[in-house]
Amino acid sequence: MLKELREAKCRRNIYKLAQDYLRERRAFISISSNSMDKNTTKGCPQGSCCGPGFWNIQYKSLPRLRYTNHMKAVAFADDLVIMIKAESIR
């Protein structure tokens, strides 16, 4: 997202505000009696008031990806799936 803001020549004060907003984030998951947390540096904080605007900035790069006949990207609200059909994982 910050790369997109730089490429759009976003004003420095707005860029710094977004940079600070995205600093020191953690993702947490808990399944049954197991839990894990991790620093996260990608994506947009869910549930934030800036979320919709940040998602628009992130999704802006989707049309620039090199798609093949075996690839499809589906975006809805704040979710994105990129699907690839192949004979094997390799």
Side-chain angles (χ1 to χ4, degrees):
M1 184 173 2
L2 294 173
K3 179 181 177 260
E4 290 290 336
L5 289 173
R6 280 192 305 272
E7 288 176 2
K9 295 183 173 47
C10 177
R11 292 181 60 158
R12 183 173 168 82
N13 61 337
I14 301 297
Y15 178 85
K16 289 292 195 182
L17 182 64
Q19 187 179 41
D20 190 54
Y21 183 76
L22 298 170
R23 186 171 298 154
E24 296 180 20
R25 295 184 301 145
R26 298 192 64 75
F28 178 81
I29 186 168
S30 178
I31 300 173
S32 298
S33 61
N34 299 312
S35 62
M36 182 178 151
D37 68 313
K38 181 180 175 181
N39 286 331
T40 181
T41 59
K42 298 189 184 312
C44 177
Q46 289 191 341
S48 68
C49 60
C50 297
F54 283 163
W55 275 108
N56 286 340
I57 292 167
Q58 284 186 253
Y59 284 173
K60 182 180 175 187
S61 64
L62 283 178
R64 295 191 302 249
L65 295 177
R66 293 183 187 158
Y67 294 99
T68 68
N69 292 337
H70 302 289
M71 296 174 64
K72 184 174 185 178
V74 177
F76 180 77
D78 64 353
D79 292 314
L80 169 66
V81 175
I82 298 178
M83 298 172 280
I84 303 170
K85 180 181 176 182
E87 298 295 323
S88 70
I89 293 174
R90 191 181 278 185

